[in-house]
mmCIF file of all heavy atoms in Angstrom:
data_model
loop_
_atom_site.group_PDB
_atom_site.id
_atom_site.type_symbol
_atom_site.label_atom_id
_atom_site.label_comp_id
_atom_site.label_asym_id
_atom_site.label_seq_id
_atom_site.Cartn_x
_atom_site.Cartn_y
_atom_site.Cartn_z
ATOM 1 N N VAL A 22 -21.407 28.515 4.175
ATOM 2 C CA VAL A 22 -22.577 28.469 3.363
ATOM 3 C C VAL A 22 -23.715 28.024 4.099
ATOM 4 O O VAL A 22 -23.708 27.284 5.142
ATOM 5 C CB VAL A 22 -22.342 27.555 2.223
ATOM 6 C CG1 VAL A 22 -22.262 26.087 2.590
ATOM 7 C CG2 VAL A 22 -23.498 27.646 1.155
ATOM 8 N N GLN A 23 -24.906 28.590 3.841
ATOM 9 C CA GLN A 23 -26.087 28.171 4.350
ATOM 10 C C GLN A 23 -26.681 26.716 3.980
ATOM 11 O O GLN A 23 -26.328 26.387 2.887
ATOM 12 C CB GLN A 23 -27.311 29.208 4.112
ATOM 13 C CG GLN A 23 -26.848 30.587 4.689
ATOM 14 C CD GLN A 23 -28.117 31.557 4.676
ATOM 15 O OE1 GLN A 23 -29.220 31.042 4.293
ATOM 16 N NE2 GLN A 23 -27.889 32.831 5.054
ATOM 17 N N ALA A 24 -27.434 26.177 4.838
ATOM 18 C CA ALA A 24 -27.973 24.963 4.578
ATOM 19 C C ALA A 24 -28.810 25.117 3.210
ATOM 20 O O ALA A 24 -29.513 25.981 2.986
ATOM 21 C CB ALA A 24 -28.870 24.439 5.646
ATOM 22 N N GLY A 25 -28.606 24.145 2.279
ATOM 23 C CA GLY A 25 -29.231 24.177 1.016
ATOM 24 C C GLY A 25 -28.406 24.774 -0.121
ATOM 25 O O GLY A 25 -28.720 24.564 -1.254
ATOM 26 N N GLY A 26 -27.280 25.397 0.326
ATOM 27 C CA GLY A 26 -26.489 25.968 -0.585
ATOM 28 C C GLY A 26 -25.499 25.101 -1.202
ATOM 29 O O GLY A 26 -25.469 23.811 -1.034
ATOM 30 N N SER A 27 -24.576 25.636 -2.054
ATOM 31 C CA SER A 27 -23.606 24.727 -2.816
ATOM 32 C C SER A 27 -22.194 25.317 -2.694
ATOM 33 O O SER A 27 -21.946 26.595 -2.505
ATOM 34 C CB SER A 27 -24.029 24.725 -4.260
ATOM 35 O OG SER A 27 -25.271 24.070 -4.494
ATOM 36 N N LEU A 28 -21.219 24.512 -2.716
ATOM 37 C CA LEU A 28 -19.741 24.864 -2.863
ATOM 38 C C LEU A 28 -19.195 23.836 -3.773
ATOM 39 O O LEU A 28 -19.550 22.722 -3.941
ATOM 40 C CB LEU A 28 -19.057 24.798 -1.494
ATOM 41 C CG LEU A 28 -19.296 25.915 -0.470
ATOM 42 C CD1 LEU A 28 -18.700 25.448 0.866
ATOM 43 C CD2 LEU A 28 -18.790 27.219 -0.973
ATOM 44 N N ARG A 29 -18.012 24.361 -4.424
ATOM 45 C CA ARG A 29 -17.235 23.471 -5.217
ATOM 46 C C ARG A 29 -15.759 23.595 -4.701
ATOM 47 O O ARG A 29 -15.144 24.650 -4.697
ATOM 48 C CB ARG A 29 -17.179 23.869 -6.732
ATOM 49 C CG ARG A 29 -16.391 22.767 -7.562
ATOM 50 C CD ARG A 29 -16.525 23.202 -9.045
ATOM 51 N NE ARG A 29 -15.630 24.259 -9.362
ATOM 52 C CZ ARG A 29 -15.132 24.464 -10.616
ATOM 53 N NH1 ARG A 29 -15.665 23.693 -11.562
ATOM 54 N NH2 ARG A 29 -14.350 25.515 -10.863
ATOM 55 N N LEU A 30 -15.234 22.370 -4.274
ATOM 56 C CA LEU A 30 -13.932 22.301 -3.838
ATOM 57 C C LEU A 30 -13.016 21.881 -5.015
ATOM 58 O O LEU A 30 -13.410 21.108 -5.801
ATOM 59 C CB LEU A 30 -13.842 21.288 -2.685
ATOM 60 C CG LEU A 30 -14.774 21.460 -1.461
ATOM 61 C CD1 LEU A 30 -14.406 20.336 -0.361
ATOM 62 C CD2 LEU A 30 -14.638 22.813 -0.870
ATOM 63 N N SER A 31 -11.835 22.470 -4.944
ATOM 64 C CA SER A 31 -10.843 22.020 -5.957
ATOM 65 C C SER A 31 -9.562 21.459 -5.264
ATOM 66 O O SER A 31 -9.303 21.841 -4.090
ATOM 67 C CB SER A 31 -10.469 23.244 -6.801
ATOM 68 O OG SER A 31 -11.526 23.746 -7.458
ATOM 69 N N CYS A 32 -8.848 20.584 -5.976
ATOM 70 C CA CYS A 32 -7.518 20.078 -5.457
ATOM 71 C C CYS A 32 -6.543 20.040 -6.635
ATOM 72 O O CYS A 32 -6.842 19.241 -7.530
ATOM 73 C CB CYS A 32 -7.847 18.691 -4.761
ATOM 74 S SG CYS A 32 -6.376 17.833 -4.354
ATOM 75 N N ALA A 33 -5.539 20.768 -6.439
ATOM 76 C CA ALA A 33 -4.578 20.808 -7.639
ATOM 77 C C ALA A 33 -3.420 19.986 -7.235
ATOM 78 O O ALA A 33 -2.874 20.080 -5.980
ATOM 79 C CB ALA A 33 -4.168 22.264 -7.803
ATOM 80 N N ALA A 34 -2.967 19.159 -7.991
ATOM 81 C CA ALA A 34 -1.911 18.156 -7.762
ATOM 82 C C ALA A 34 -0.706 18.540 -8.555
ATOM 83 O O ALA A 34 -0.717 19.047 -9.713
ATOM 84 C CB ALA A 34 -2.339 16.750 -8.169
ATOM 85 N N SER A 35 0.395 18.311 -7.980
ATOM 86 C CA SER A 35 1.735 18.504 -8.687
ATOM 87 C C SER A 35 2.799 17.463 -8.323
ATOM 88 O O SER A 35 2.581 16.785 -7.178
ATOM 89 C CB SER A 35 2.326 19.920 -8.491
ATOM 90 O OG SER A 35 2.510 20.160 -7.185
ATOM 91 N N GLY A 36 3.808 17.270 -9.000
ATOM 92 C CA GLY A 36 4.929 16.434 -8.646
ATOM 93 C C GLY A 36 4.895 15.092 -9.167
ATOM 94 O O GLY A 36 5.970 14.246 -9.030
ATOM 95 N N ARG A 37 3.753 14.656 -9.884
ATOM 96 C CA ARG A 37 3.666 13.449 -10.582
ATOM 97 C C ARG A 37 2.603 13.513 -11.649
ATOM 98 O O ARG A 37 1.726 14.413 -11.526
ATOM 99 C CB ARG A 37 3.352 12.377 -9.514
ATOM 100 C CG ARG A 37 3.371 10.897 -10.091
ATOM 101 C CD ARG A 37 2.933 9.877 -9.026
ATOM 102 N NE ARG A 37 2.997 8.517 -9.559
ATOM 103 C CZ ARG A 37 3.985 7.831 -9.483
ATOM 104 N NH1 ARG A 37 5.164 8.142 -8.960
ATOM 105 N NH2 ARG A 37 4.013 6.437 -10.084
ATOM 106 N N THR A 38 2.703 12.713 -12.651
ATOM 107 C CA THR A 38 1.676 12.651 -13.630
ATOM 108 C C THR A 38 0.287 12.442 -13.026
ATOM 109 O O THR A 38 0.105 11.493 -12.510
ATOM 110 C CB THR A 38 1.987 11.635 -14.683
ATOM 111 O OG1 THR A 38 3.267 11.809 -15.313
ATOM 112 C CG2 THR A 38 0.926 11.649 -15.779
ATOM 113 N N PHE A 39 -0.613 13.434 -13.184
ATOM 114 C CA PHE A 39 -1.905 13.413 -12.469
ATOM 115 C C PHE A 39 -2.744 12.236 -13.052
ATOM 116 O O PHE A 39 -3.391 11.596 -12.153
ATOM 117 C CB PHE A 39 -2.595 14.736 -12.789
ATOM 118 C CG PHE A 39 -3.996 14.951 -12.089
ATOM 119 C CD1 PHE A 39 -3.983 14.895 -10.627
ATOM 120 C CD2 PHE A 39 -5.154 14.767 -12.726
ATOM 121 C CE1 PHE A 39 -5.115 15.017 -10.001
ATOM 122 C CE2 PHE A 39 -6.327 14.956 -12.106
ATOM 123 C CZ PHE A 39 -6.284 15.022 -10.683
ATOM 124 N N SER A 40 -2.622 11.932 -14.288
ATOM 125 C CA SER A 40 -3.540 10.800 -14.746
ATOM 126 C C SER A 40 -3.104 9.401 -14.319
ATOM 127 O O SER A 40 -3.921 8.398 -14.403
ATOM 128 C CB SER A 40 -3.474 10.759 -16.282
ATOM 129 O OG SER A 40 -2.070 10.631 -16.653
ATOM 130 N N SER A 41 -1.981 9.342 -13.489
ATOM 131 C CA SER A 41 -1.616 8.152 -13.078
ATOM 132 C C SER A 41 -2.207 7.825 -11.620
ATOM 133 O O SER A 41 -1.935 6.807 -10.960
ATOM 134 C CB SER A 41 -0.041 7.978 -12.877
ATOM 135 O OG SER A 41 0.394 8.923 -12.018
ATOM 136 N N LEU A 42 -2.898 8.948 -11.075
ATOM 137 C CA LEU A 42 -3.374 8.857 -9.769
ATOM 138 C C LEU A 42 -4.795 8.652 -9.644
ATOM 139 O O LEU A 42 -5.590 9.403 -10.417
ATOM 140 C CB LEU A 42 -3.049 10.083 -9.071
ATOM 141 C CG LEU A 42 -1.470 10.543 -8.899
ATOM 142 C CD1 LEU A 42 -1.260 11.937 -8.369
ATOM 143 C CD2 LEU A 42 -0.816 9.464 -7.952
ATOM 144 N N ALA A 43 -5.416 7.710 -8.761
ATOM 145 C CA ALA A 43 -6.772 7.632 -8.384
ATOM 146 C C ALA A 43 -6.871 8.752 -7.360
ATOM 147 O O ALA A 43 -5.983 8.993 -6.605
ATOM 148 C CB ALA A 43 -7.132 6.310 -7.801
ATOM 149 N N MET A 44 -7.948 9.421 -7.237
ATOM 150 C CA MET A 44 -8.178 10.579 -6.364
ATOM 151 C C MET A 44 -9.455 10.376 -5.467
ATOM 152 O O MET A 44 -10.441 9.675 -5.893
ATOM 153 C CB MET A 44 -8.287 11.865 -7.214
ATOM 154 C CG MET A 44 -7.110 12.253 -7.973
ATOM 155 S SD MET A 44 -5.630 12.541 -7.083
ATOM 156 C CE MET A 44 -6.059 13.900 -6.139
ATOM 157 N N GLY A 45 -9.402 10.987 -4.271
ATOM 158 C CA GLY A 45 -10.397 10.780 -3.381
ATOM 159 C C GLY A 45 -10.657 12.059 -2.532
ATOM 160 O O GLY A 45 -9.662 12.812 -2.445
ATOM 161 N N TRP A 46 -11.821 12.151 -2.050
ATOM 162 C CA TRP A 46 -12.162 13.277 -1.003
ATOM 163 C C TRP A 46 -12.665 12.599 0.268
ATOM 164 O O TRP A 46 -13.264 11.617 0.243
ATOM 165 C CB TRP A 46 -13.303 14.197 -1.554
ATOM 166 C CG TRP A 46 -12.818 15.083 -2.619
ATOM 167 C CD1 TRP A 46 -12.997 14.950 -3.875
ATOM 168 C CD2 TRP A 46 -12.229 16.362 -2.462
ATOM 169 N NE1 TRP A 46 -12.523 16.108 -4.569
ATOM 170 C CE2 TRP A 46 -12.155 16.947 -3.750
ATOM 171 C CE3 TRP A 46 -11.846 17.141 -1.245
ATOM 172 C CZ2 TRP A 46 -11.511 18.190 -3.904
ATOM 173 C CZ3 TRP A 46 -11.240 18.285 -1.354
ATOM 174 C CH2 TRP A 46 -11.142 18.932 -2.711
ATOM 175 N N PHE A 47 -12.007 13.085 1.286
ATOM 176 C CA PHE A 47 -12.360 12.624 2.694
ATOM 177 C C PHE A 47 -12.783 13.860 3.551
ATOM 178 O O PHE A 47 -12.352 14.949 3.205
ATOM 179 C CB PHE A 47 -11.236 11.772 3.281
ATOM 180 C CG PHE A 47 -10.864 10.527 2.662
ATOM 181 C CD1 PHE A 47 -10.186 10.587 1.444
ATOM 182 C CD2 PHE A 47 -11.317 9.378 3.040
ATOM 183 C CE1 PHE A 47 -9.707 9.407 0.731
ATOM 184 C CE2 PHE A 47 -11.109 8.147 2.494
ATOM 185 C CZ PHE A 47 -10.321 8.203 1.333
ATOM 186 N N ARG A 48 -13.351 13.638 4.791
ATOM 187 C CA ARG A 48 -13.725 14.711 5.569
ATOM 188 C C ARG A 48 -13.538 14.260 6.998
ATOM 189 O O ARG A 48 -13.670 13.106 7.459
ATOM 190 C CB ARG A 48 -15.145 15.347 5.284
ATOM 191 C CG ARG A 48 -16.299 14.308 5.640
ATOM 192 C CD ARG A 48 -17.688 14.912 5.191
ATOM 193 N NE ARG A 48 -18.726 14.073 5.508
ATOM 194 C CZ ARG A 48 -19.957 14.235 5.100
ATOM 195 N NH1 ARG A 48 -20.294 15.383 4.326
ATOM 196 N NH2 ARG A 48 -20.978 13.549 5.520
ATOM 197 N N GLN A 49 -13.342 15.347 7.893
ATOM 198 C CA GLN A 49 -13.276 15.062 9.259
ATOM 199 C C GLN A 49 -13.990 16.124 10.021
ATOM 200 O O GLN A 49 -13.569 17.341 9.951
ATOM 201 C CB GLN A 49 -11.771 14.886 9.836
ATOM 202 C CG GLN A 49 -11.531 14.410 11.199
ATOM 203 C CD GLN A 49 -10.209 14.265 11.519
ATOM 204 O OE1 GLN A 49 -9.282 14.686 10.858
ATOM 205 N NE2 GLN A 49 -10.039 13.491 12.524
ATOM 206 N N ALA A 50 -15.051 15.647 10.703
ATOM 207 C CA ALA A 50 -15.814 16.606 11.638
ATOM 208 C C ALA A 50 -15.203 16.821 12.999
ATOM 209 O O ALA A 50 -14.542 15.742 13.424
ATOM 210 C CB ALA A 50 -17.306 16.203 11.660
ATOM 211 N N PRO A 51 -15.494 17.822 13.718
ATOM 212 C CA PRO A 51 -14.892 17.941 15.098
ATOM 213 C C PRO A 51 -15.325 16.817 15.863
ATOM 214 O O PRO A 51 -16.511 16.307 16.078
ATOM 215 C CB PRO A 51 -15.545 19.154 15.554
ATOM 216 C CG PRO A 51 -15.774 20.037 14.341
ATOM 217 C CD PRO A 51 -16.248 19.000 13.324
ATOM 218 N N GLY A 52 -14.356 16.169 16.723
ATOM 219 C CA GLY A 52 -14.556 15.044 17.444
ATOM 220 C C GLY A 52 -14.766 13.674 16.897
ATOM 221 O O GLY A 52 -14.995 12.732 17.537
ATOM 222 N N LYS A 53 -14.583 13.727 15.568
ATOM 223 C CA LYS A 53 -14.966 12.459 14.752
ATOM 224 C C LYS A 53 -13.673 12.009 13.855
ATOM 225 O O LYS A 53 -12.905 12.907 13.564
ATOM 226 C CB LYS A 53 -16.127 12.557 14.006
ATOM 227 C CG LYS A 53 -17.406 12.630 14.747
ATOM 228 C CD LYS A 53 -18.651 12.675 13.759
ATOM 229 C CE LYS A 53 -19.856 12.692 14.596
ATOM 230 N NZ LYS A 53 -21.165 12.595 13.691
ATOM 231 N N GLU A 54 -13.631 10.807 13.512
ATOM 232 C CA GLU A 54 -12.579 10.353 12.734
ATOM 233 C C GLU A 54 -12.833 10.749 11.272
ATOM 234 O O GLU A 54 -13.938 10.971 10.887
ATOM 235 C CB GLU A 54 -12.459 8.692 12.823
ATOM 236 C CG GLU A 54 -11.965 8.276 14.195
ATOM 237 C CD GLU A 54 -11.788 6.812 14.175
ATOM 238 O OE1 GLU A 54 -11.937 6.031 13.218
ATOM 239 O OE2 GLU A 54 -11.236 6.380 15.201
ATOM 240 N N ARG A 55 -11.782 10.692 10.476
ATOM 241 C CA ARG A 55 -11.895 11.017 9.091
ATOM 242 C C ARG A 55 -12.662 9.991 8.374
ATOM 243 O O ARG A 55 -12.536 8.844 8.627
ATOM 244 C CB ARG A 55 -10.506 11.094 8.371
ATOM 245 C CG ARG A 55 -10.482 11.768 6.941
ATOM 246 C CD ARG A 55 -9.088 12.099 6.740
ATOM 247 N NE ARG A 55 -8.112 11.064 6.838
ATOM 248 C CZ ARG A 55 -6.835 11.165 6.844
ATOM 249 N NH1 ARG A 55 -6.240 12.345 6.712
ATOM 250 N NH2 ARG A 55 -6.020 10.125 6.990
ATOM 251 N N GLU A 56 -13.510 10.356 7.345
ATOM 252 C CA GLU A 56 -14.350 9.406 6.710
ATOM 253 C C GLU A 56 -14.363 9.670 5.140
ATOM 254 O O GLU A 56 -14.129 10.831 4.738
ATOM 255 C CB GLU A 56 -15.831 9.455 7.240
ATOM 256 C CG GLU A 56 -16.476 10.820 6.886
ATOM 257 C CD GLU A 56 -17.898 10.800 7.326
ATOM 258 O OE1 GLU A 56 -18.400 9.896 7.862
ATOM 259 O OE2 GLU A 56 -18.617 11.890 7.209
ATOM 260 N N PHE A 57 -14.582 8.558 4.520
ATOM 261 C CA PHE A 57 -14.627 8.649 3.006
ATOM 262 C C PHE A 57 -15.797 9.503 2.578
ATOM 263 O O PHE A 57 -17.010 9.268 3.043
ATOM 264 C CB PHE A 57 -14.624 7.118 2.576
ATOM 265 C CG PHE A 57 -15.119 7.229 0.961
ATOM 266 C CD1 PHE A 57 -14.077 7.519 0.079
ATOM 267 C CD2 PHE A 57 -16.359 6.880 0.468
ATOM 268 C CE1 PHE A 57 -14.396 7.434 -1.278
ATOM 269 C CE2 PHE A 57 -16.662 6.712 -0.691
ATOM 270 C CZ PHE A 57 -15.638 7.131 -1.620
ATOM 271 N N VAL A 58 -15.606 10.227 1.527
ATOM 272 C CA VAL A 58 -16.752 11.021 0.864
ATOM 273 C C VAL A 58 -16.930 10.541 -0.591
ATOM 274 O O VAL A 58 -18.014 10.189 -1.071
ATOM 275 C CB VAL A 58 -16.432 12.556 0.762
ATOM 276 C CG1 VAL A 58 -17.428 13.335 0.173
ATOM 277 C CG2 VAL A 58 -16.245 13.051 2.348
#
């Protein structure tokens, strides 16, 4: 996407009751450690 644009990420879960899970998003850029989002 170009700068200024938008995206929507989705994450589908299975194997356990979803409502029992706290959820998070993290990201990792090249050459860097994973960070909280």
